[in-house]
PDB file of all heavy atoms in Angstrom:
ATOM      1  N   ASN A 351       1.080 -10.149   0.692  1.00 36.00           N
ATOM      2  CA  ASN A 351       0.304 -10.556   1.849  1.00 36.00           C
ATOM      3  C   ASN A 351       0.592  -9.633   3.030  1.00 36.00           C
ATOM      4  O   ASN A 351       0.471  -9.998   4.179  1.00 36.00           O
ATOM      5  CB  ASN A 351       0.585 -12.016   2.213  1.00 36.00           C
ATOM      6  CG  ASN A 351       1.841 -12.171   3.014  1.00 36.00           C
ATOM      7  OD1 ASN A 351       2.760 -11.392   2.864  1.00 36.00           O
ATOM      8  ND2 ASN A 351       1.892 -13.177   3.851  1.00 36.00           N
ATOM      9  N   SER A 352       0.999  -8.370   2.713  1.00 47.00           N
ATOM     10  CA  SER A 352       1.185  -7.367   3.747  1.00 47.00           C
ATOM     11  C   SER A 352       0.314  -6.169   3.431  1.00 47.00           C
ATOM     12  O   SER A 352       0.011  -5.884   2.283  1.00 47.00           O
ATOM     13  CB  SER A 352       2.643  -6.906   3.815  1.00 47.00           C
ATOM     14  OG  SER A 352       3.503  -7.988   4.097  1.00 47.00           O
ATOM     15  N   VAL A 353      -0.087  -5.478   4.466  1.00 48.00           N
ATOM     16  CA  VAL A 353      -0.899  -4.276   4.267  1.00 48.00           C
ATOM     17  C   VAL A 353      -0.332  -3.182   5.146  1.00 48.00           C
ATOM     18  O   VAL A 353       0.043  -3.423   6.289  1.00 48.00           O
ATOM     19  CB  VAL A 353      -2.380  -4.533   4.601  1.00 48.00           C
ATOM     20  CG1 VAL A 353      -2.592  -4.980   6.019  1.00 48.00           C
ATOM     21  CG2 VAL A 353      -3.214  -3.297   4.319  1.00 48.00           C
ATOM     22  N   LEU A 354      -0.217  -1.990   4.600  1.00 53.00           N
ATOM     23  CA  LEU A 354       0.267  -0.884   5.404  1.00 53.00           C
ATOM     24  C   LEU A 354      -0.807  -0.502   6.410  1.00 53.00           C
ATOM     25  O   LEU A 354      -1.937  -0.245   6.042  1.00 53.00           O
ATOM     26  CB  LEU A 354       0.585   0.323   4.514  1.00 53.00           C
ATOM     27  CG  LEU A 354       1.678   0.126   3.467  1.00 53.00           C
ATOM     28  CD1 LEU A 354       1.905   1.430   2.728  1.00 53.00           C
ATOM     29  CD2 LEU A 354       2.959  -0.359   4.099  1.00 53.00           C
ATOM     30  N   ALA A 355      -0.444  -0.484   7.670  1.00 52.00           N
ATOM     31  CA  ALA A 355      -1.378  -0.035   8.699  1.00 52.00           C
ATOM     32  C   ALA A 355      -1.296   1.473   8.749  1.00 52.00           C
ATOM     33  O   ALA A 355      -0.247   2.049   9.021  1.00 52.00           O
ATOM     34  CB  ALA A 355      -1.006  -0.631  10.054  1.00 52.00           C
ATOM     35  N   LEU A 356      -2.403   2.127   8.455  1.00 52.00           N
ATOM     36  CA  LEU A 356      -2.450   3.578   8.405  1.00 52.00           C
ATOM     37  C   LEU A 356      -3.178   4.115   9.622  1.00 52.00           C
ATOM     38  O   LEU A 356      -4.002   3.434  10.218  1.00 52.00           O
ATOM     39  CB  LEU A 356      -3.160   4.037   7.124  1.00 52.00           C
ATOM     40  CG  LEU A 356      -2.562   3.506   5.823  1.00 52.00           C
ATOM     41  CD1 LEU A 356      -3.485   3.841   4.654  1.00 52.00           C
ATOM     42  CD2 LEU A 356      -1.176   4.077   5.589  1.00 52.00           C
ATOM     43  N   ASP A 357      -2.887   5.371   9.959  1.00 51.00           N
ATOM     44  CA  ASP A 357      -3.603   5.966  11.075  1.00 51.00           C
ATOM     45  C   ASP A 357      -4.973   6.437  10.606  1.00 51.00           C
ATOM     46  O   ASP A 357      -5.433   6.076   9.528  1.00 51.00           O
ATOM     47  CB  ASP A 357      -2.775   7.083  11.726  1.00 51.00           C
ATOM     48  CG  ASP A 357      -2.571   8.266  10.788  1.00 51.00           C
ATOM     49  OD1 ASP A 357      -3.293   8.376   9.787  1.00 51.00           O
ATOM     50  OD2 ASP A 357      -1.673   9.093  11.084  1.00 51.00           O
ATOM     51  N   GLY A 358      -5.638   7.232  11.416  1.00 51.00           N
ATOM     52  CA  GLY A 358      -7.028   7.558  11.141  1.00 51.00           C
ATOM     53  C   GLY A 358      -7.269   8.398   9.907  1.00 51.00           C
ATOM     54  O   GLY A 358      -8.400   8.569   9.488  1.00 51.00           O
ATOM     55  N   ASP A 359      -6.214   8.948   9.276  1.00 53.00           N
ATOM     56  CA  ASP A 359      -6.410   9.812   8.115  1.00 53.00           C
ATOM     57  C   ASP A 359      -6.388   9.005   6.828  1.00 53.00           C
ATOM     58  O   ASP A 359      -5.768   9.389   5.844  1.00 53.00           O
ATOM     59  CB  ASP A 359      -5.318  10.884   8.090  1.00 53.00           C
ATOM     60  CG  ASP A 359      -5.748  12.130   7.320  1.00 53.00           C
ATOM     61  OD1 ASP A 359      -6.937  12.218   6.981  1.00 53.00           O
ATOM     62  OD2 ASP A 359      -4.901  12.978   7.062  1.00 53.00           O
ATOM     63  N   GLN A 360      -7.088   7.868   6.816  1.00 57.00           N
ATOM     64  CA  GLN A 360      -7.060   6.943   5.692  1.00 57.00           C
ATOM     65  C   GLN A 360      -7.548   7.588   4.396  1.00 57.00           C
ATOM     66  O   GLN A 360      -6.991   7.349   3.328  1.00 57.00           O
ATOM     67  CB  GLN A 360      -7.932   5.720   6.026  1.00 57.00           C
ATOM     68  CG  GLN A 360      -8.266   4.832   4.826  1.00 57.00           C
ATOM     69  CD  GLN A 360      -7.047   4.176   4.239  1.00 57.00           C
ATOM     70  OE1 GLN A 360      -6.053   4.011   4.920  1.00 57.00           O
ATOM     71  NE2 GLN A 360      -7.116   3.805   2.974  1.00 57.00           N
ATOM     72  N   THR A 361      -8.584   8.418   4.452  1.00 57.00           N
ATOM     73  CA  THR A 361      -9.136   9.001   3.228  1.00 57.00           C
ATOM     74  C   THR A 361      -8.106   9.870   2.530  1.00 57.00           C
ATOM     75  O   THR A 361      -7.904   9.761   1.317  1.00 57.00           O
ATOM     76  CB  THR A 361     -10.393   9.828   3.545  1.00 57.00           C
ATOM     77  OG1 THR A 361     -11.376   8.974   4.133  1.00 57.00           O
ATOM     78  CG2 THR A 361     -10.971  10.442   2.280  1.00 57.00           C
ATOM     79  N   SER A 362      -7.429  10.756   3.264  1.00 65.00           N
ATOM     80  CA  SER A 362      -6.446  11.628   2.635  1.00 65.00           C
ATOM     81  C   SER A 362      -5.260  10.835   2.120  1.00 65.00           C
ATOM     82  O   SER A 362      -4.649  11.197   1.112  1.00 65.00           O
ATOM     83  CB  SER A 362      -5.968  12.713   3.612  1.00 65.00           C
ATOM     84  OG  SER A 362      -5.285  12.146   4.702  1.00 65.00           O
ATOM     85  N   VAL A 363      -4.889   9.736   2.792  1.00 68.00           N
ATOM     86  CA  VAL A 363      -3.791   8.899   2.314  1.00 68.00           C
ATOM     87  C   VAL A 363      -4.170   8.246   0.991  1.00 68.00           C
ATOM     88  O   VAL A 363      -3.377   8.208   0.045  1.00 68.00           O
ATOM     89  CB  VAL A 363      -3.412   7.837   3.358  1.00 68.00           C
ATOM     90  CG1 VAL A 363      -2.411   6.855   2.782  1.00 68.00           C
ATOM     91  CG2 VAL A 363      -2.838   8.493   4.607  1.00 68.00           C
ATOM     92  N   ALA A 364      -5.389   7.730   0.903  1.00 70.00           N
ATOM     93  CA  ALA A 364      -5.840   7.111  -0.346  1.00 70.00           C
ATOM     94  C   ALA A 364      -5.822   8.127  -1.480  1.00 70.00           C
ATOM     95  O   ALA A 364      -5.433   7.809  -2.612  1.00 70.00           O
ATOM     96  CB  ALA A 364      -7.238   6.540  -0.163  1.00 70.00           C
ATOM     97  N   GLU A 365      -6.229   9.355  -1.197  1.00 73.00           N
ATOM     98  CA  GLU A 365      -6.202  10.404  -2.213  1.00 73.00           C
ATOM     99  C   GLU A 365      -4.769  10.735  -2.608  1.00 73.00           C
ATOM    100  O   GLU A 365      -4.466  10.950  -3.793  1.00 73.00           O
ATOM    101  CB  GLU A 365      -6.918  11.645  -1.684  1.00 73.00           C
ATOM    102  CG  GLU A 365      -8.419  11.464  -1.519  1.00 73.00           C
ATOM    103  CD  GLU A 365      -9.076  12.629  -0.797  1.00 73.00           C
ATOM    104  OE1 GLU A 365      -8.331  13.501  -0.307  1.00 73.00           O
ATOM    105  OE2 GLU A 365     -10.314  12.659  -0.728  1.00 73.00           O
ATOM    106  N   ALA A 366      -3.868  10.767  -1.634  1.00 76.00           N
ATOM    107  CA  ALA A 366      -2.466  11.063  -1.924  1.00 76.00           C
ATOM    108  C   ALA A 366      -1.861   9.998  -2.823  1.00 76.00           C
ATOM    109  O   ALA A 366      -1.105  10.299  -3.757  1.00 76.00           O
ATOM    110  CB  ALA A 366      -1.671  11.178  -0.618  1.00 76.00           C
ATOM    111  N   ILE A 367      -2.187   8.732  -2.552  1.00 78.00           N
ATOM    112  CA  ILE A 367      -1.661   7.641  -3.372  1.00 78.00           C
ATOM    113  C   ILE A 367      -2.206   7.740  -4.791  1.00 78.00           C
ATOM    114  O   ILE A 367      -1.480   7.543  -5.775  1.00 78.00           O
ATOM    115  CB  ILE A 367      -2.009   6.280  -2.740  1.00 78.00           C
ATOM    116  CG1 ILE A 367      -1.219   6.094  -1.439  1.00 78.00           C
ATOM    117  CG2 ILE A 367      -1.713   5.137  -3.709  1.00 78.00           C
ATOM    118  CD1 ILE A 367      -1.635   4.891  -0.634  1.00 78.00           C
ATOM    119  N   ARG A 368      -3.484   8.064  -4.918  1.00 80.00           N
ATOM    120  CA  ARG A 368      -4.106   8.187  -6.240  1.00 80.00           C
ATOM    121  C   ARG A 368      -3.447   9.297  -7.062  1.00 80.00           C
ATOM    122  O   ARG A 368      -3.141   9.126  -8.246  1.00 80.00           O
ATOM    123  CB  ARG A 368      -5.598   8.457  -6.072  1.00 80.00           C
ATOM    124  CG  ARG A 368      -6.378   8.574  -7.371  1.00 80.00           C
ATOM    125  CD  ARG A 368      -7.871   8.541  -7.095  1.00 80.00           C
ATOM    126  NE  ARG A 368      -8.647   8.768  -8.284  1.00 80.00           N
ATOM    127  CZ  ARG A 368      -9.184   9.945  -8.637  1.00 80.00           C
ATOM    128  NH1 ARG A 368      -9.024  10.982  -7.847  1.00 80.00           N
ATOM    129  NH2 ARG A 368      -9.876  10.071  -9.737  1.00 80.00           N
ATOM    130  N   ILE A 369      -3.209  10.447  -6.428  1.00 85.00           N
ATOM    131  CA  ILE A 369      -2.572  11.559  -7.123  1.00 85.00           C
ATOM    132  C   ILE A 369      -1.118  11.218  -7.448  1.00 85.00           C
ATOM    133  O   ILE A 369      -0.620  11.498  -8.542  1.00 85.00           O
ATOM    134  CB  ILE A 369      -2.649  12.845  -6.283  1.00 85.00           C
ATOM    135  CG1 ILE A 369      -4.114  13.237  -6.073  1.00 85.00           C
ATOM    136  CG2 ILE A 369      -1.888  13.982  -6.955  1.00 85.00           C
ATOM    137  CD1 ILE A 369      -4.306  14.334  -5.038  1.00 85.00           C
ATOM    138  N   ARG A 370      -0.441  10.611  -6.485  1.00 84.00           N
ATOM    139  CA  ARG A 370       0.957  10.214  -6.724  1.00 84.00           C
ATOM    140  C   ARG A 370       1.063   9.287  -7.911  1.00 84.00           C
ATOM    141  O   ARG A 370       1.929   9.447  -8.787  1.00 84.00           O
ATOM    142  CB  ARG A 370       1.523   9.533  -5.474  1.00 84.00           C
ATOM    143  CG  ARG A 370       3.023   9.327  -5.507  1.00 84.00           C
ATOM    144  CD  ARG A 370       3.422   7.989  -4.935  1.00 84.00           C
ATOM    145  NE  ARG A 370       2.928   6.896  -5.772  1.00 84.00           N
ATOM    146  CZ  ARG A 370       3.302   5.634  -5.613  1.00 84.00           C
ATOM    147  NH1 ARG A 370       4.136   5.313  -4.649  1.00 84.00           N
ATOM    148  NH2 ARG A 370       2.820   4.681  -6.386  1.00 84.00           N
ATOM    149  N   ASP A 371       0.188   8.297  -7.990  1.00 85.00           N
ATOM    150  CA  ASP A 371       0.203   7.368  -9.119  1.00 85.00           C
ATOM    151  C   ASP A 371       0.004   8.103 -10.443  1.00 85.00           C
ATOM    152  O   ASP A 371       0.629   7.771 -11.454  1.00 85.00           O
ATOM    153  CB  ASP A 371      -0.887   6.312  -8.945  1.00 85.00           C
ATOM    154  CG  ASP A 371      -0.552   5.276  -7.878  1.00 85.00           C
ATOM    155  OD1 ASP A 371       0.583   5.301  -7.372  1.00 85.00           O
ATOM    156  OD2 ASP A 371      -1.424   4.451  -7.550  1.00 85.00           O
TER     157      ASP A 371
END
Side-chain angles (χ1 to χ4, degrees):
N351 81 330
S352 300
V353 59
L354 298 183
L356 304 171
D357 66 16
D359 204 10
Q360 166 65 24
T361 300
S362 64
V363 172
E365 291 171 353
I367 291 171
R368 181 168 175 262
I369 298 169
R370 191 220 66 170
D371 286 353

